[in-house]
Structures are given as structure tokens and as C-alpha cells.
């Protein structure tokens, strides 16, 4: 009698015989609703500005950002994460353009909210790095170090102006200690209890951020190793996770995604809140560059990487391919 627990009785290939069979038994499925589109809007430009290191991605004008939001919503994408790129002349040591009610990010939030309403979840990057002349995510002290607690005061103000502009979700990304609790208190103080917080819980100091510096016109001098996490550490991420949840995070994120799938899986196993992962600029650029050289199949690589991130536990994926993937690959 044949034993079906081992070969030749056990033949897992039976479930791989046709595309329809493989689709039927697939354990992980992608859906447009899993995706969030990161988008950059630049002040003072009349045409979209291509980002050389990220082919196909641009710094939007206000008009083209509205069009991109409409396109994303029509494709079934769930959210859009907005990043503001101010004019260089408006950058200063405190990042005041980031808390100006008429700053580029706040204007963009109002634009997108007016255009799509609640058809997209409108998210905003809550960080100072785009607006400071030194390029760091916080206020510097007299010795040039990022002052954690002084930065929290700026984040509180930033959260309030973004909420007043109509954002659904704020994303504090600076990796300051206590940032989630301070932002929650700031929002609740002005009656914005319904604005959610997507905590950048495990944000690593990564070499893969390179193209993003161009995307936001970064003025960074030095690095961010004193506040972003060391790529060697996993237990530290779990501690950050516990702190963010205690402070009131509604959702949590791992960033980057691809190099940190082990962290993502651990986080997803540990929590009962939604988990996001950010497929960042360097991950995007590598695939686009290799595909341009003819070294990989671009479309298949996009789907494979997104599937891997979803399989590791992300319920939401921030990816620059969000709209394209929703339109072409995963309907």
C-alpha cells in the first residue's frame, strides 16, 4: 500500500500544474487595498520634476498631485502618503515651513482632501527633515546634536497643523523617543481624536534611503545614526514597538521593507493593530535599474517583492508602484 506521507505518494507538484491551480491554492494574495502611494509635492514648480534616481517618480506640482491622487483612488489604492518639498529659501534651523499652516505639505493635504475626500486615506509625513537647513529630523542643540525633547515640541505643532489641514493619518517618522505619545496628546488637545497615528516603529538607518534624499531635496549633513535604528538590532525594534503601542499608536510600520522582512514578521506576530511596511526608494531604484539593463523581469520582480512583504505580515505596503501595481498586476 502506498504511503501518502512521503514520495511517491506525496507529490506537492500536483498543486502547481496550471496557473489556475496555483492561483486557487495561493496562500498570500495581493489586493489594491493593501497599497499606499508615497507622493512628493514640490513648492514653486509649474511642471513635475523627474527624480533621476527613481525613474517614473516625480516631484509633483499641486495640480499633478491632485491628478495622481484621483488615479490612485480609481485604481483601488487605499492611501496616499504625502511629503512636502519646500523652496530652499524657506528652510531654517527649526523647520518652520513644516508648521506653517500655508506650508507646502499643509496646502497639499487640503488640495488632495478637496479632490478625493475620503476616497483615499490621506497620510502625511510628520518630520522636520524636509524643512530644516541642516537636514536632520529634529532641532539641534548647541553642540549640533538632535535635541529629542525640543524636537517633540515641534512635532506636536506639526501634528496640529496637518490635522487642521484635513489629514486622516499622521506618520511621525523622526524616531524621537516619546513622539507617538506627544503627537497623540497634541491631536486630542485640539479635538482631533479621529486622526490616526501610523507609527514609524522600526525605522532603520539604511543605505537604501539614498534616492529619497533627492526626492525631498534633502540638506542633510552627517547621518541619522543617533536616532534611526541600527540595522544589526531586532530586540530593539520590539522594545520600540511596545513603547509605541503604549503611547497610543493606531498602526505600526517597519522601514525599509525588503532587507527587514524578519523584523516585519516578528512585529506582525506580536501585535493586534495593523502593520505597514515601506518599500523604500533604494528598493525601487534597484529593480528599475536592473530591469533597465535587462538583467531582471521588471513586472515579475515588482509582484514578487510585494508578495514577499505581504507574506511576511504587512497588511499595508507603501510602494512607489502602488497605482501601477493596482492597475496592472493584482486586480
Amino acid at each position: 500500500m502506498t504511503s501518502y506521507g512521503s514520495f511517491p505518494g506525496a507529490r506537492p507538484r500536483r498543486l502547481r500544474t496550471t496557473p489556475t491551480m496555483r492561483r486557487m491554492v495561493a496562500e498570500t494574495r495581493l489586493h489594491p487595498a493593501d497599497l499606499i502611494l508615497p507622493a512628493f509635492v514640490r513648492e514653486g514648480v509649474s511642471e513635475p520634476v523627474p527624480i533621476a534616481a527613481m525613474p517614473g517618480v516625480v516631484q509633483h506640482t499641486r495640480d499633478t498631485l491632485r491628478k495622481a491622487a484621483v488615479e490612485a483612488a480609481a485604481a483601488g489604492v487605499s492611501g496616499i502618503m504625502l511629503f512636502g518639498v519646500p523652496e530652499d529659501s524657506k528652510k531654517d534651523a527649526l523647520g518652520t515651513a513644516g508648521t506653517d499652516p500655508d506650508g507646502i505639505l499643509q496646502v497639499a493635504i487640503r488640495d488632495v482632501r478637496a479632490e478625493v475626500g475620503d476616497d483615499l486615506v490621506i497620510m502625511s509625513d510628520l518630520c522636520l527633515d524636509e524643512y530644516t537647513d541642516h537636514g536632520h529630523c529634529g532641532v539641534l542643540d548647541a553642540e549640533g546634536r538632535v535635541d529629542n525633547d525640543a524636537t517633540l515640541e515641534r512635532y506636536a505643532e506639526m501634528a496640529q497643523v496637518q490635522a487642521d489641514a484635513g489629514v486622516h493619518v499622521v506618520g511621525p517618522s523622526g524616531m524621537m523617543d516619546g513622539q507617538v505619545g506627544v503627537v497623540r496628546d497634541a491631536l486630542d488637545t485640539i479635538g482631533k481624536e479621529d486622526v490616526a497615528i501610523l507609527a514609524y516603529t522600526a525605522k532603520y538607518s539604511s543605505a537604501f534611503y539614498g534616492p529619497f534624499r533627492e526626492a525631498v531635496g534633502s540638506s542633510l549633513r552627517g547621518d541619522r545614526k543617533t536616532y534611526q535604528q541600527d540595522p544589526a538590532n531586532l530586540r530593539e525594534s520590539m522594545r520600540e514597538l511596545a513603547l509605541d503601542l503604549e503611547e497610543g499608536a493606531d498602526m505600526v510600520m517597519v522601514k525599509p521593507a525588503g532587507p527587514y522582512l524578519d523584523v516585519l514578521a516578528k512585529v506582525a506576530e506580536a501585535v493586534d493593530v495593523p502593520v505597514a511596511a515601506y518599500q523604500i526608494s533604494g528598493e525601487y531604484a534597484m529593480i528599475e535599474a536592473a530591469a533597465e539593463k535587462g538583467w531582471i523581469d521588471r513586472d515579475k520582480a515588482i509582484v514578487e517583492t510585494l508578495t514577499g512583504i505581504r507574506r511576511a505580515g504587512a497588511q499595508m505596503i507603501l510602494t512607489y508602484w502602488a497605482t501601477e501595481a493596482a492597475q496592472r498586476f493584482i486586480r
Side-chain angles (χ1 to χ4, degrees):
M1 181 175 179
T2 301
S3 170
Y4 291 96
S6 59
F7 182 81
R11 293 181 181 268
R13 286 182 56 191
R14 294 183 185 120
L15 302 183
R16 304 172 197 155
T17 51
T18 69
T20 305
M21 175 71 80
R22 293 191 294 273
R23 184 182 66 187
M24 183 179 72
V25 302
E27 299 172 27
T28 303
R29 300 184 190 278
L30 291 169
H31 189 276
D34 302 332
L35 305 179
I36 297 166
L37 176 69
F40 308 99
V41 57
R42 180 169 171 176
E43 189 172 27
V45 295
S46 58
E47 297 290 337
V49 179
I51 300 168
M54 301 175 68
V57 180
V58 301
Q59 294 171 327
H60 284 286
T61 69
R62 290 174 59 186
D63 285 341
T64 63
L65 177 65
R66 285 192 288 261
K67 292 175 183 176
V70 169
E71 185 182 19
V77 170
S78 284
I80 187 167
M81 174 65 80
L82 301 178
F83 296 86
V85 184
E87 295 175 330
D88 285 343
S89 63
K90 294 184 179 179
K91 295 183 180 183
D92 60 24
L94 298 178
T96 53
T99 52
D100 180 354
D102 294 320
I104 182 60
L105 181 54
Q106 285 68 254
V107 169
I109 292 168
R110 291 195 291 270
D111 285 345
V112 174
R113 188 67 187 267
E115 191 71 36
V116 300
D118 295 333
D119 291 345
L120 275 182
V121 177
I122 302 168
M123 304 178 170
S124 54
D125 180 55
L126 200 164
C127 196
L128 291 171
D129 59 320
E130 297 99 321
Y131 310 100
T132 54
D133 54 13
H134 48 72
H136 278 287
C137 296
V139 178
L140 302 185
D141 63 18
E143 297 182 15
R145 300 171 301 189
V146 175
D147 185 325
N148 191 93
D149 295 4
T151 299
L152 294 181
E153 295 179 16
R154 301 288 295 126
Y155 285 2
E157 186 179 353
M158 199 173 197
Q160 291 175 340
V161 297
Q162 291 178 358
D164 285 339
V167 79
H168 295 103
V169 178
V170 294
S173 61
M175 291 300 290
M176 297 298 120
D177 294 338
Q179 63 184 14
V180 172
V182 165
V183 167
R184 183 74 271 157
D185 288 346
L187 292 169
D188 293 352
T189 296
I190 62 168
K192 297 294 184 179
E193 295 91 350
D194 288 343
V195 175
I197 297 176
L198 170 58
Y200 281 61
T201 292
K203 183 179 180 182
Y204 285 88
S205 180
S206 172
F208 292 96
Y209 294 134
F212 184 85
R213 308 281 189 250
E214 178 190 351
V216 297
S218 176
S219 302
L220 180 65
R221 297 188 294 270
D223 59 48
R224 297 181 173 136
K225 294 182 183 297
T226 64
Y227 44 103
Q228 293 179 352
Q229 285 184 236
D230 187 331
N233 294 349
L234 171 57
R235 287 194 301 270
E236 182 181 30
S237 291
M238 303 311 290
R239 185 183 183 202
E240 293 277 7
L241 174 64
L243 291 168
D244 283 352
L245 293 174
E246 183 179 350
E247 291 174 24
D250 299 289
M251 301 172 277
V252 296
M253 185 195 292
V254 175
K255 180 181 181 180
Y260 298 93
L261 294 180
D262 60 325
V263 180
L264 174 58
K266 287 284 188 182
V267 168
E269 289 172 2
V271 301
D272 57 3
V273 299
V275 176
Y278 196 147
Q279 186 180 48
I280 67 169
S281 59
E283 298 175 75
Y284 176 94
M286 286 193 302
I287 289 176
E288 291 288 350
E292 190 276 330
K293 292 283 190 180
W295 294 339
I296 61 173
D297 183 309
R298 174 186 180 274
D299 294 358
K300 290 180 179 178
I302 292 170
V303 174
E304 185 174 340
T305 56
L306 292 174
T307 301
I309 295 165
R310 185 74 178 85
R311 188 185 63 245
Q315 294 164 264
M316 302 170 291
I317 305 172
L318 287 83
T319 175
Y320 300 99
W321 289 301
T323 301
E324 180 188 1
Q327 291 171 334
R328 297 183 54 219
F329 303 141
I330 59 177
R331 283 199 174 279

